[in-house]
Amino acid sequence: MSTAQIILAVILFGIAAALVIAGIRHLQCKGYCFNNAYIYASKDERETMYLRPYYKQSGIVLLMLACLFLLNGLRIVLKIKALMYISFVLIAVIIVYAVVSSIRIEKNK
């Protein structure tokens, strides 16, 4: 394994670790809410929003993204091509989850 691959794997594992921390904090409803509904809401809307579903959605997406970065880091280290295909499936799952959960949140308002 070359030096560039080692550096890239370390960076990917570091990003995965940061995403795990952010995801756990979101599931605890702590910190800034990284959700488009909250980010694009006006100041008045933010004050009246019930944030728990948005934190939960963002936390789950952040944890799934952490898995994605972990898979890509492992793919570089272990040189298993099948992990790339698993990553593609995980990307599709993340997108579908984000859309479906956004629809559910809006429906439950």
Side-chain angles (χ1 to χ4, degrees):
M1 188 160 44
S2 71
T3 306
Q5 289 174 325
I6 293 171
I7 292 170
L8 183 59
V10 168
I11 291 170
L12 289 173
F13 291 140
I15 293 171
L19 288 170
V20 166
I21 292 168
I24 290 171
R25 286 187 51 81
H26 267 70
L27 291 176
Q28 296 171 341
C29 295
K30 294 183 179 178
Y32 184 78
C33 186
F34 294 119
N35 192 296
N36 284 340
Y38 180 76
I39 292 171
Y40 293 125
S42 68
K43 191 172 186 176
D44 296 332
E45 289 174 327
R46 286 182 185 179
E47 293 173 2
T48 61
M49 285 176 83
Y50 179 62
L51 293 178
R52 186 156 183 83
Y54 299 112
Y55 270 115
K56 181 181 175 186
Q57 178 191 33
S58 297
I60 291 171
V61 169
L62 287 169
L63 290 174
M64 286 194 284
L65 286 172
C67 291
L68 181 66
F69 278 92
L70 182 66
L71 274 175
N72 284 323
L74 288 173
R75 183 177 59 88
I76 291 170
V77 171
L78 301 176
K79 297 179 182 175
I80 299 174
K81 191 169 183 133
L83 292 178
M84 181 177 64
Y85 301 116
I86 295 171
S87 295
F88 292 148
V89 171
L90 185 55
I91 290 169
V93 168
I94 292 169
I95 292 169
V96 169
Y97 172 77
V99 170
V100 170
S101 64
S102 293
I103 292 169
R104 277 187 163 174
I105 290 170
E106 288 300 317
K107 189 188 246 186
N108 289 335
K109 276 188 173 179

